[in-house]
Amino acid sequence: MRRTLRAAMTSTAALVLTLAFTGVAGSSVTPRLTSELIGPAQFPRGWSLYSSSGTVNAGCLTNVIGLSNVLEAKGVKQIASAKVFVQDNQSVPLVSEMLATYSNVSSAYAQIVKTLIACKHVNAKIFGAAVSGSMKEKSFTHFGNASQAFAASTSVMGTTFDEDLVIVRKGNVVVGIIEGGLPPVNVHQFQGIVVKALAKVQ
């Protein structure tokens, strides 16, 4: 019974946390950014890479549960990007990180944060599943040149998931990191993940 429940939670979590991962038009994946992504080696034993793809774009919902459009900055050209997903023992929590560079990194960061602040409530139907959620700004440790954290809660298929999200500007790179899983998210663990991830960004 426990294994069945775990499998159901894992598949549902995978749906929630990967619905909105889509490519950003006009940007390219570069070896430099890819080499600066966090990986399983920075996590405790049992964490592994998780392969994800999707084509859903549900507006504000994308910002709550994904890390693709969340780093789009309206009016600012995104030059390059890279992303990775890491899961705990083939289940949740699931951590995702995206890096991006822009024609103007300060403007991009400001626009991204502004968009997230405006994303307070979401309701959508994706792949036939009703999804609802809310997000708010969160008090968190300051990182890089500028940073802003958010806490989100998403409900899908009768299961609630919590997500912690932080957007950081470090040098000429904007970093987005999210940890999602069954509530509550381990804030201490998430902070440690952010520190390790940013240590790789040059």
Side-chain angles (χ1 to χ4, degrees):
M1 175 68 177
R2 183 174 296 176
R3 180 175 296 179
T4 302
L5 178 60
R6 179 184 175 88
M9 289 188 305
T10 301
S11 62
T12 306
L15 171 66
V16 171
L17 297 173
T18 64
L19 282 172
F21 293 114
T22 58
V24 179
S27 68
S28 61
V29 177
T30 64
R32 176 213 154 186
L33 286 183
T34 300
S35 70
E36 294 180 0
L37 290 167
I38 197 169
Q42 282 78 53
F43 288 82
R45 185 175 179 180
W47 286 72
S48 60
L49 291 176
Y50 175 78
S51 178
S52 172
S53 63
T55 57
V56 172
N57 183 347
C60 185
L61 178 65
T62 308
N63 296 333
V64 176
I65 63 175
L67 274 183
S68 185
N69 289 359
V70 73
L71 290 192
E72 272 192 31
K74 187 175 181 180
V76 184
K77 181 181 179 181
Q78 186 181 105
I79 298 170
S81 64
K83 60 185 175 181
V84 68
F85 310 94
V86 187
Q87 61 182 345
D88 183 11
N89 289 289
Q90 300 184 338
S91 184
V92 292
L94 187 144
V95 171
S96 50
E97 178 189 23
M98 184 173 183
L99 310 178
T101 58
Y102 304 85
S103 57
N104 185 319
V105 68
S106 296
S107 294
Y109 170 82
Q111 182 61 45
I112 291 164
V113 170
K114 179 182 177 181
T115 299
L116 287 168
I117 290 173
C119 184
K120 299 183 185 300
H121 300 283
V122 294
N123 287 282
K125 200 163 188 176
I126 299 179
F127 301 145
V131 182
S132 62
S134 62
M135 183 163 61
K136 61 184 179 181
E137 295 173 73
K138 179 175 183 175
S139 178
F140 205 57
T141 303
H142 176 82
F143 295 104
N145 302 104
S147 64
Q148 179 61 57
F150 299 86
S153 182
T154 306
S155 178
V156 59
M157 297 169 64
T159 303
T160 298
F161 295 91
D162 283 352
E163 299 93 27
D164 275 351
L165 165 66
V166 65
I167 302 296
V168 181
R169 178 174 68 82
K170 182 178 180 183
N172 69 341
V173 180
V174 174
V175 184
I177 304 171
I178 189 170
E179 179 178 6
L182 300 178
V185 174
N186 185 324
V187 177
H188 178 73
Q189 174 176 275
F190 182 60
Q191 182 171 322
I193 290 169
V194 173
V195 169
K196 291 178 180 180
L198 291 176
K200 296 193 67 178
V201 178
Q202 301 304 311

